[in-house]
Amino acid sequence: MVTAVFPAAGSSKRMGGGVNKNLLELAGESVLLRTLKTFSKVERINFLIVVVAAHEVETVEGLLRGSKGLKPWQVTIGGSERQYSIANGLKLLPDDAQIVLVHDAARPLVTVQTINDVIDAAEQFGGAIAAIPEKNTIKVIDAQGFVKHTPPRAELVSVLTPQGFRREILLRAYDKAAEENFLGTDDSSLVERLGVRVKVVAGGYQNIKITTPEDIRIAETFLRRSDA
Ligand code: CTP
Ligand code: MG
């Protein structure tokens, strides 16, 4: 079976307003609930681990308790970095979780199709990430703000979530990162350090991360067009 971990313990600085962006409503339903409901539609998923800041545990538990259509869930406390929040969530993995997905709670427009594709590829290859072809030209720069070089765009993808891994691979990757004080910006980067080849799966351009206030309006536009 598959367990999904949802980091939602950040401070939403770029959103502003002093509230957890995952609790903001998008066309009448919170970002967090939208995310959890989509994952709950995936048959193979049997448990949801939601990681939030200590002062929000009760609020979020109340929100989830009052919601229909969710797979069994547990709420736990996060840390100062996304990676530490996920590490805390991983302590609650049920014994029957052979595949673990990590998904930003702040990506409520993920589709069932993408989730299933990541699970399938994680089962087959050990690790898989949702990504989209990069639209921009990306430059590598130096500390003085000068261009060092330009990687060919055809080799670049923008990485999204979900990211999925066989349980033992992800746990080993998190242990190694903790031992070596490595802080990555996604889960795959921890797994890559084990030498595991991670498969890239088509992620969908609508699968944005709600980050700044404009993203709320962009997401609502996707929802209105119901192609999310
Ligand atoms: N997250 C987390 N624990 C942290 C930091 C982030 O669980 N210490 C979560 C966020 O709540 C979010 C996801 O990881 O759902 C992606 O992070 P990001 O979009 O950067 O959210 P924030 O860190 O909250 O936003 P900001 O960086 O603007 O403060
Ligand atoms: Mg952040």
Side-chain angles (χ1 to χ4, degrees):
M1 296 300 277
V2 182
T3 287
V5 180
F6 301 92
S11 43
S12 306
K13 281 206 192 78
R14 287 169 286 178
M15 182 60 69
V19 293
N20 184 344
K21 62 189 180 181
N22 294 298
L23 301 179
L24 296 176
E25 290 198 350
L26 276 186
E29 186 162 57
S30 69
V31 169
L32 177 64
L33 267 183
R34 283 186 181 277
T35 300
L36 298 181
K37 283 185 178 176
T38 300
F39 276 76
S40 296
K41 288 182 195 152
V42 177
E43 211 163 314
R44 292 173 282 181
I45 293 181
N46 65 349
F47 197 56
L48 313 173
I49 297 170
V50 182
V51 189
V52 301
H55 70 277
E56 282 178 338
V57 170
E58 274 179 38
T59 309
V60 170
E61 283 180 343
L63 177 73
L64 302 197
R65 237 179 257 126
S67 306
K68 293 199 176 75
L70 293 182
K71 292 283 174 94
W73 52 265
Q74 196 167 341
V75 176
T76 191
I77 296 173
S80 59
E81 298 284 346
R82 180 182 181 278
Q83 184 175 316
Y84 305 150
S85 294
I86 294 160
N88 258 352
L90 292 175
K91 293 178 188 156
L92 298 179
L93 278 188
D95 291 340
D96 63 352
Q98 290 103 18
I99 296 287
V100 183
L101 299 178
V102 179
H103 182 75
D104 292 323
R107 293 186 190 273
L109 302 184
V110 65
T111 61
V112 168
Q113 170 90 50
T114 296
I115 299 166
N116 272 316
D117 289 348
V118 169
I119 296 171
D120 288 341
E123 280 173 346
Q124 192 178 348
F125 302 106
I129 59 178
I132 46 180
E134 180 51 52
K135 291 180 180 176
N136 298 301
T137 294
I138 304 285
K139 305 278 186 195
V140 178
I141 61 168
D142 64 20
Q144 288 74 44
F146 288 91
V147 173
K148 285 211 280 195
H149 61 270
T150 309
R153 193 172 58 198
E155 288 181 21
L156 298 174
V157 294
S158 280
V159 171
L160 319 174
T161 69
Q163 302 194 348
F165 308 91
R166 285 189 209 130
R167 176 203 189 95
E168 64 281 2
I169 290 176
L170 188 63
L171 292 182
R172 205 151 34 90
Y174 265 82
D175 281 348
K176 183 175 162 70
E179 270 165 32
E180 298 171 2
N181 273 319
F182 174 79
L183 193 60
T185 52
D186 73 344
D187 306 280
S188 178
S189 59
L190 277 51
V191 168
E192 291 153 35
R193 298 175 80 246
L194 297 175
V196 172
R197 278 177 86 212
V198 176
K199 179 71 174 167
V200 177
V201 164
Y205 282 108
Q206 90 298 333
N207 185 8
I208 61 167
K209 181 159 64 68
I210 304 293
T211 305
T212 59
E214 303 78 60
D215 294 325
I216 300 277
R217 293 179 59 192
I218 294 168
E220 284 179 337
T221 303
F222 278 122
L223 286 168
R224 264 199 303 279
R225 290 177 39 180
S226 72
D227 53 3

